[in-house]
Amino acid sequence: MKIKKQVTRTVYCLCLISFFLSGCQMKKQAETSQIETEGSEDTIYETVTVKNSKGDIDKIIQKFTGDTLEEAIKNGVELKKSYGEDSITYEKGVKRLKFSGKIKEGLGPLISYEDNYEMAGWQYDSVLNGITYSLKGNLFGATIRNKLPGEDIDGCTKEEALKYCNPYAELLGYGKDNSVAEVYALTLDSLLKGSETGVPHYGPLKGIDNKKPLPDDEFDKLQEKYLWTKEYEALYVVYKPYTNGLVFESSYGALEMIYAPAYEKIVYLFGEMPWIVNEKKKADKIITKEEAEKEAVTVTKAKKDNVKIENVTMVYSQNILHLRENNSLDLCYRVDLKIENSAMYTGPKAYQSVLINAVTGEECVMWPGLSD
């Protein structure tokens, strides 16, 4: 059977749509920041409320499919209403582009794209899920880097992948001045070592000259014949936006792409338009770096003497309840740590990143009540 998208993505999409129904109006604007990010005593940290940016639907459809919006409509754009929001799905041959939001006002927050020639887009997504399955949405953290330590693969460098992916990212609001890109090598070796689902890694269906995505039953019968091989190694690119001068750290507040040199193109994309700061207010009091480190150790449930703090940075993240209630992001410490001398935490699992709310001192959880 196909490996379905992680349930957390579905929950997040529904929650985020609910947030936008609360009255957050989208307005395209450039954001600049005056604050320091080095963490000195003079640094002024701020809490922020946000709204979503907009994109040009016509340009996005044209970039991904080659059609203008008018041509797409003639060719059969599927427009649906979901939870009061518009959802547009456009399938052109093997390509499937979907985005959601208040379409009359502009592109909504969520966008996904797959190029399923030889069912490549689906298979690369499934491979990625096999690597990140147990991270509970913690793609911002140290675990993913230690599972996928490389940035280059044979035949393609980090720089070459970024050169191809950057124009797509810029079209979706992730420019060189307002975002940072992280690149992870999806190598055969890392996939064999890093999978936690127990499901074999199936590769694209080489030689299947499909004109559109295959039906489930046909796909299920075929995929077991096509295991992942070295020729399908790829680069996984994650764009993180800067929000008010700090990196926004959240697996669902980023833009993910998989660039596959075997196909010389992007075969998979998932993400959202970056937040735009609406209002900001000086945080009257925040906890100290040492207090954040102490709480992060408590969150891991590991013995204090077994935890080594490797890095601490100030970032923004999100709690879906805070977004829904007042459109606010959370100011957080990101604490990168390593758990040593533990049978439970070995290999990549020993490296973790924990977000601690800099105002409340509690762990920053994306979905309260749904994190376990």
Side-chain angles (χ1 to χ4, degrees), residues 44-104:
I44 297 175
Y45 290 113
E46 297 169 310
T47 56
V48 297
T49 61
V50 292
K51 53 191 172 186
N52 199 248
S53 53
K54 294 195 295 186
D56 189 314
I57 297 173
D58 196 356
K59 289 182 178 179
I60 291 170
I61 288 180
Q62 196 163 14
K63 183 70 174 176
F64 282 91
T65 71
D67 287 350
T68 63
L69 179 58
E70 183 179 353
E71 290 170 333
I73 292 172
K74 289 180 180 178
N75 292 336
V77 161
E78 184 180 6
L79 176 62
K80 293 183 177 179
K81 284 282 187 180
S82 176
Y83 292 85
E85 297 285 306
D86 296 319
S87 175
I88 285 183
T89 299
Y90 182 46
E91 295 188 1
K92 181 183 179 183
V94 294
K95 297 179 179 180
R96 183 175 185 271
L97 177 66
K98 183 175 182 179
F99 41 87
S100 61
K102 296 185 181 300
I103 302 304
K104 290 183 179 179

Side-chain angles (χ1 to χ4, degrees), residues 181-221:
E182 298 176 356
V183 180
Y184 303 89
L186 291 170
T187 65
L188 179 60
D189 183 60
S190 65
L191 298 183
L192 293 174
K193 292 179 180 178
S195 178
E196 298 183 11
T197 60
V199 177
H201 289 305
Y202 298 122
L205 280 54
K206 187 174 182 179
I208 302 297
D209 189 23
N210 58 310
K211 306 302 180 185
K212 59 182 181 179
L214 299 177
D216 285 4
D217 55 350
E218 185 178 349
F219 173 79
D220 290 339
K221 292 177 183 178

Side-chain angles (χ1 to χ4, degrees), residues 94-95 113 115 117 164 168 258-268:
V94 294
K95 297 179 179 180
Y113 170 78
D115 186 317
Y117 178 70
Y164 187 93
Y168 292 86
I258 296 179
Y259 174 72
Y263 295 94
E264 298 184 336
K265 58 186 174 182
I266 295 167
V267 295
Y268 169 81

Side-chain angles (χ1 to χ4, degrees), residues 37 118 124 162 169 179 189 202 237 239 242 261 281 291 300 322 328 369:
T37 59
E118 298 184 340
Y124 277 98
L162 288 175
S179 67
D189 183 60
Y202 298 122
V237 184
Y239 292 88
Y242 287 114
K281 178 182 178 183
E291 289 172 321
T300 67
H322 298 166
S328 67

